[in-house]
């Protein structure tokens, strides 16, 4: 199971459509989504007009796509209000700059334009090595997930209006919904910034509210 399965299942069974993807890269996920309202944000798309056209022929929903080749911060400052005036967001994949404060701003900004029953999916929340779990400037080789895990801990500590859990597949898929949580954490932002990867390893299940794939179906009342 991966993020595409999660997105497609929510779209089909919960009828969530209006879709934002922050961090799109080559469109591996974005171009496959079937929705008449899809917004792509990335400072550097790894595709050109020809590939866009090809993808629209394969999946005609791509003819309606809106592309913003800029950072998510610039998108939210300059475009989001207009883009989401008529249509509120129902589903978003936050997969841009994988650092604590960047991902936090992306989630908080997305929430401003999201319907009450909307869902945010965050990629790369469950790094499996210390090297993968740090800041971009410290990353050397191999997989890099960044410290989006700190964003999860922040949301679970500072946002008692949100239910946040991490599905334990596809590098950790954070799920954020507007629902009173069953459990919360009590870290301040300064404490979260000071947490180490070793501490995450010791407390992974509790801090990330780590859940198996079956919980996804249970939480949203979906059929497998
Ligand atoms: C891991 S890739 C996204 C992969 C894609 N979502 C997928 O599932 O196939 C991360 C992307 O985030 C983009 N990115 C980096 N900084 C960003 C920012 N500040 N705002 C939005 N996107 C950013 C990068 O250019 C890169 O294309």
């Amino acid at each position: 199971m991966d993020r595409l399965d999660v997105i497609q299942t929510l779209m089909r069974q919960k009828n969530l459509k209006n879709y934002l993807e922050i961090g799109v890269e080559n469109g591996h996920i974005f171009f496959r989504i079937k929705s008449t309202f899809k917004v792509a944000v990335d400072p550097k798309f790894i595709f050109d007009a020809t590939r866009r056209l090809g993808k629209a022929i394969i999946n005609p929903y791509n003819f309606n796509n809106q592309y913003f080749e800029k950072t998510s911060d610039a998108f939210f400052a300059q475009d989001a209000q207009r883009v989401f005036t008529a249509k509120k967001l129902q589903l978003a994949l936050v997969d841009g700059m994988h650092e604590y404060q960047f991902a936090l701003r992306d989630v908080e900004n997305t929430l401003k334009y999201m319907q009450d029953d909307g869902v945010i999916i965050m990629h790369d929340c469950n790094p499996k090595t210390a090297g993968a779990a740090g800041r971009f400037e410290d990353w050397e080789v191999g997989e890099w997930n960044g410290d989006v895990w700190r964003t999860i801990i922040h949301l679970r500590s500072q946002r008692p209006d949100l239910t946040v859990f991490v599905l334990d597949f596809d590098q950790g898929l954070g799920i954020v919904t507007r629902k009173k949580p069953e459990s919360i954490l009590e870290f301040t932002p300064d404490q979260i910034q000071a947490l180490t990867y070793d501490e995450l390893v010791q407390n992974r299940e509790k801090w990330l509210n780590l859940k198996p794939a079956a919980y996804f179906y249970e939480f949203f009342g979906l059929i497998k």
Side-chain angles (χ1 to χ4, degrees):
M1 198 160 177
D2 64 13
R3 56 200 181 285
L4 184 61
D5 298 319
V6 166
I7 293 165
Q8 289 181 328
T9 303
L10 285 170
M11 283 190 158
R12 256 188 247 118
Q13 294 195 33
K14 284 285 178 195
N15 204 25
L16 301 180
K17 290 193 173 73
N18 305 340
Y19 178 74
L20 166 69
E21 188 167 319
I22 298 174
V24 174
E25 205 171 45
N26 63 7
H28 168 71
I29 298 295
F30 186 78
F31 287 128
R32 288 177 163 79
I33 307 295
K34 292 187 173 163
S35 164
T36 49
F37 186 80
K38 298 200 292 175
V39 179
V41 178
D42 195 306
K44 192 167 174 21
F45 291 126
I46 314 289
F47 49 79
D48 56 16
T50 310
R51 185 171 155 89
R52 282 187 201 181
L53 181 62
K55 293 293 177 186
I57 291 164
I58 294 167
N59 171 13
Y61 287 101
N62 287 317
F63 278 116
N64 298 319
N65 293 346
Q66 297 184 59
Y67 298 95
F68 295 87
E69 194 157 28
K70 52 178 72 179
T71 66
S72 50
D73 287 334
F75 168 75
F76 283 114
Q78 298 161 5
D79 311 287
Q81 201 152 10
R82 173 179 48 80
V83 171
F84 303 123
T85 302
K87 285 192 168 152
K88 288 273 181 225
L89 273 172
Q90 296 172 309
L91 201 49
L93 175 62
V94 169
D95 197 12
M97 174 45 87
H98 286 53
E99 288 192 358
Y100 172 18
Q101 294 299 336
F102 280 81
L104 180 59
R105 285 199 302 278
D106 285 346
V107 169
E108 287 179 337
N109 280 324
T110 298
L111 284 167
K112 289 179 199 160
Y113 302 100
M114 195 171 84
Q115 272 185 202
D116 283 350
D117 62 349
V119 179
I120 298 176
I121 299 160
M122 302 169 67
H123 194 213
D124 287 304
C125 298
N126 188 18
K128 294 296 168 64
T129 65
R135 300 190 59 176
F136 185 62
E137 63 191 27
D138 301 325
W139 174 53
E140 286 171 358
V141 286
E143 196 99 54
W144 184 65
N145 305 115
D147 60 354
V148 181
W149 57 274
R150 290 184 212 276
T151 313
I152 296 290
I153 295 172
H154 179 109
L155 294 168
R156 296 199 59 225
S157 300
Q158 302 288 319
R159 293 292 304 255
D161 57 324
L162 302 176
T163 287
V164 179
F165 58 90
V166 173
L167 294 168
D168 194 9
F169 54 82
D170 196 8
Q171 313 285 328
L173 285 190
I175 303 289
V176 180
T177 59
R178 278 197 188 95
K179 192 177 171 201
K180 198 170 174 295
E182 282 179 3
S183 66
I184 57 161
L185 300 173
E186 294 192 338
F187 292 100
T188 66
D190 284 347
Q191 287 171 330
I192 294 166
Q193 192 57 68
L195 295 175
T196 65
Y197 179 71
D198 285 345
E199 289 173 309
L200 173 67
V201 171
Q202 299 301 317
N203 298 281
R204 197 185 284 276
E205 294 205 359
K206 181 179 174 207
W207 288 359
L208 299 183
N209 202 11
L210 209 53
K211 302 288 185 188
Y215 186 78
F216 166 65
Y217 295 93
E218 190 186 313
F219 181 81
F220 288 107
L222 303 165
I223 298 159
K224 254 191 208 173

